[in-house]
Amino acid sequence: MGKVLVTGAAGNIGSTLVRRLVERGEQVRVFLLPKTWHPFLDGLDIEKCYGDTTKEEDVLRAMDGCDQVYHLAGIVSYYRKDKKKIYAVNVGGTRNILLAAKKLKVLRVVVTASTSGIGVPTKKEWPLHEESHFHERYHRFPYLDSKYQTIRLCEQFAKEGVPVVMVSPTTVYGAGDIAEHIGGLIRRIENGILFVPPGGNAVVSVEDIVVGHILAMERGVVGENYIFANEFYTCFEMQSIIARILKVDPPRFIFSMALKRFYIGWFWLVEMLFGKKATQAWQAVALQCEHRYFDSTKARRDLGWVPQVSFSQAIREAFDFYRKMKK
């Protein structure tokens, strides 16, 4: 087997995946944006290639000589000011990867999509699955729509003969999040939170989603998408668990409908009228008020995926990682 290319290797999932592949004895080439790195890559026997997935020539250069590709590079943002970059990277970058895979006759490509591209359940009792309808209202959310388009793009290329499989994680927790998506939440809880949104989310650990990627590479059916979700929690439950681990006071109240509208409206005003990035994107707040639960039956049944790491354990590992980073 030839080299394995991993894009987005400076990210949380990407760096953890690279480490696991090296441990398995794979020859790995990482594709990184210039001046980016991740401490999990320190000391690994890997080949480094720098470039940008939005540039076709960079992608062809990075992929040349590779038999397998894990495409994880992407933008996670709910700010409308990032709209152009979101589509350029999430959709345009994926198109470049698939075009190069077709040209170079790569044996298998695993693309990290997202449950965001599947949609938002209308009721918490009805978790969405891979074939669920993406509601039209969420096309106005650039991040969600970019992931929806990514999934459709992969399906199109699969029909054209490109051996692509999709992986759709829910919200990922665990060690290695140097972008501090988790760290920001941990700091807010440490500082004290009274009110939390009324929604909920499905969660999965970074270690378990890495296993999911490898299973998709080995056993996934071309053109198919696989959801990876472990546990379901309300926002109140999640933040209470984090508070207990941090040994601080848990949140006390859940947003009322009036408070929900106030927060969304305020963040919308800051972002849309004043042209600034609020402390939170209004679209992110709106989504936190929904119960974004997803059904991972297909991945468990067809790939043999069995999650091993609980949300509580993943948070402890994240907390330990941040503590070591501060030293």
Side-chain angles (χ1 to χ4, degrees), residues 182-230:
I182 309 168
L185 175 61
I186 288 175
R187 281 197 303 275
R188 291 197 298 274
I189 293 173
E190 280 183 313
N191 293 333
I193 291 180
L194 287 178
F195 294 91
V196 297
N201 216 336
V203 296
V204 65
S205 78
V206 66
E207 297 290 343
D208 284 331
I209 192 57
V210 160
V211 172
H213 277 76
I214 294 171
L215 288 172
M217 180 66 77
E218 295 175 343
R219 306 177 188 176
V221 175
V222 170
E224 293 295 318
N225 185 19
Y226 298 92
I227 290 172
F228 291 90
N230 185 8

Side-chain angles (χ1 to χ4, degrees), residues 6 33 38 65 79-80 82 84 87 117 138-139 150 171 176 183 250 253 312:
V6 179
L33 282 170
H38 195 287
Y79 289 105
R80 289 191 63 86
D82 293 333
K84 186 175 180 180
Y87 283 105
Y138 294 109
H139 286 299
T150 296
T171 303
F253 307 105
S312 296

Side-chain angles (χ1 to χ4, degrees), residues 196 199 232-244 251 293 311:
V196 297
F232 300 165
Y233 289 109
T234 65
C235 292
F236 188 87
E237 290 169 338
M238 289 171 64
Q239 295 192 25
S240 296
I241 290 170
I242 295 172
R244 185 166 64 248
Y293 297 159
F311 174 70

Side-chain angles (χ1 to χ4, degrees), residues 54-101:
T54 65
K55 298 178 180 178
E56 294 180 39
E57 62 276 15
D58 287 0
V59 172
L60 283 166
R61 174 171 49 85
M63 201 180 296
D64 189 28
C66 295
D67 289 339
Q68 298 179 342
V69 177
Y70 291 94
H71 176 47
L72 296 98
I75 298 291
V76 180
S77 174
Y78 293 96
Y79 289 105
R80 289 191 63 86
K81 286 177 70 69
D82 293 333
K83 180 178 179 179
K84 186 175 180 180
K85 182 188 291 186
I86 289 169
Y87 283 105
V89 175
N90 293 353
V91 183
T94 301
R95 181 180 289 107
N96 288 339
I97 290 288
L98 296 175
L99 285 170

Side-chain angles (χ1 to χ4, degrees), residues 22-58:
V22 171
E23 290 170 354
R24 286 163 50 96
E26 305 275 6
Q27 289 184 294
V28 180
R29 177 186 296 165
V30 296
F31 188 32
L32 304 159
L33 282 170
K35 299 180 181 179
T36 64
W37 191 248
H38 195 287
F40 283 177
L41 304 179
D42 290 345
L44 296 182
D45 183 14
I46 53 178
E47 181 181 346
K48 295 178 280 292
C49 180
Y50 290 92
D52 191 327
T53 59
T54 65
K55 298 178 180 178
E56 294 180 39
E57 62 276 15
D58 287 0

